[in-house]
Amino acid sequence: MRLALQYCPYCGEQDLRPREETPETPAGAWECADCRSTFVVTPVPAPARGSA
Ligand SMILES: [Zn+2]
């Protein structure tokens, strides 16, 4: 499954914009255009495949 953020976790708005990476903003940060919240999506690696 691909990492796709569709909804603001705070207000549920769908108008999300990726933030530029700056010294104050960590990589992977998104900003909600509605409530202006900034949040970071942490990629979670897929479970290891079964042994072949
Ligand atoms: Zn929001």
Side-chain angles (χ1 to χ4, degrees), residues 19-27 29:
R19 293 285 304 263
E20 284 187 42
E21 185 176 349
T22 70
E24 296 83 25
T25 305

Side-chain angles (χ1 to χ4, degrees), residues 13-31:
E13 181 60 50
Q14 290 181 272
D15 192 0
L16 307 177
R17 295 113 186 252
R19 293 285 304 263
E20 284 187 42
E21 185 176 349
T22 70
E24 296 83 25
T25 305
W30 291 73
E31 182 184 70

Side-chain angles (χ1 to χ4, degrees), residues 22-41:
T22 70
E24 296 83 25
T25 305
W30 291 73
E31 182 184 70
C32 173
D34 190 56
C35 70
R36 312 300 292 183
S37 294
T38 298
F39 40 89
V40 176
V41 177

